[in-house]
Amino acid sequence: MDIKEFEKVLTKEDILNLPFEKSNAKSKNIYQSKVILGIDIYKYSKYALVAQTLIPYIFHKIIYSVIDDLNKYEPIFFADYSKTNFESNFINTGDGGYIILDTPLHGLLFSIYLSSRLKTYNTGKLSPKEYKITGEITYRYAMCLGELFNFEDNWFGPAIITCARILSIDKLNRFLLEENVK
């Protein structure tokens, strides 16, 4: 949604009243209930500078191979999910990011394929030259379900904040689920 569309949906009075009322925005379909799959490269700041430079490239390379696999092996769930769709539903943090998906099942499938691809990378056989530089890469995951809205090609909302907080408190590189994910 761009600024003109946003202004058509919400009046200035609606925007000013959002925090104080029961939310005029909900009735006008600003918010969408979505799943956020948060991915964080564990101890990214501890990598050498050259590895930190290479890891975002590797991350995207792995993600794109996951999207190809999901389109190929899970067409019922990911038939209309493409690399372009991914780019518009991804918030890049540099050391991972947040993927916006439709359901918890989509999040689970995406994380399974991502974990599998990452294990393959960590054998050193998928990209031997890159692996020599980075060594093993470990991700930690969090999945949340909640309200989001899209404005100026960016995603905002409490689900992203919750996912970020869950990832920030995890110190053991696990897959954590928010209680709303069922």
Side-chain angles (χ1 to χ4, degrees):
M1 174 179 307
D2 65 19
I3 192 136
K4 289 179 183 178
E5 292 169 330
F6 192 80
E7 287 173 344
K8 285 178 189 174
V9 177
L10 280 183
T11 66
K12 288 179 184 174
E13 291 77 27
D14 289 335
I15 294 168
L16 292 174
N17 291 327
L18 279 177
F20 308 108
E21 289 186 8
K22 193 154 186 166
S23 186
N24 295 331
K26 278 194 183 218
S27 64
K28 295 184 180 186
N29 296 322
I30 289 290
Y31 294 105
Q32 303 172 44
S33 182
K34 294 282 190 176
V35 167
I36 306 299
L37 179 62
I39 303 164
D40 181 63
I41 298 167
Y42 189 60
K43 296 189 176 181
Y44 176 76
S45 62
K46 303 283 186 209
Y47 285 95
L49 182 59
V50 75
Q52 285 184 15
T53 306
L54 189 57
I55 286 172
Y57 164 75
I58 294 166
F59 177 70
H60 277 273
K61 191 171 155 183
I62 289 172
I63 290 283
Y64 289 146
S65 68
V66 166
I67 292 168
D68 289 340
D69 286 349
L70 289 167
N71 279 283
K72 184 176 179 180
Y73 301 115
E74 307 294 343
I76 292 172
F77 300 105
F78 290 91
D80 60 349
Y81 199 76
S82 65
K83 292 173 185 167
T84 304
N85 188 311
F86 167 76
E87 290 296 334
S88 64
N89 290 296
F90 178 67
I91 301 165
N92 192 339
T93 61
D95 65 342
Y98 302 96
I99 302 170
I100 289 86
L101 297 160
D102 290 331
T103 68
L105 184 56
H106 286 92
L108 184 61
L109 287 169
F110 201 101
S111 62
I112 288 169
Y113 277 79
L114 180 60
S115 181
S116 174
R117 185 60 68 171
L118 183 61
K119 285 194 183 297
T120 304
Y121 175 82
N122 283 335
T123 65
K125 295 178 182 170
L126 185 64
S127 303
K129 290 179 184 176
E130 296 161 350
Y131 182 78
K132 268 187 168 179
I133 295 168
T134 65
E136 188 172 303
I137 298 174
T138 306
Y139 293 109
R140 55 185 172 177
Y141 306 89
M143 190 164 33
C144 298
L145 176 66
E147 302 296 321
L148 298 173
F149 70 95
N150 190 286
F151 175 67
E152 295 280 309
D153 296 326
N154 290 307
W155 288 95
F156 302 91
I160 297 167
I161 295 164
T162 301
C163 197
R165 287 183 178 155
I166 290 171
L167 281 173
S168 72
I169 61 172
D170 179 33
K171 305 294 181 218
L172 299 173
N173 67 324
R174 300 173 283 187
F175 189 130
L176 300 175
L177 299 173
E178 180 203 18
E179 65 185 346
N180 291 334
V181 177
K182 296 174 185 169

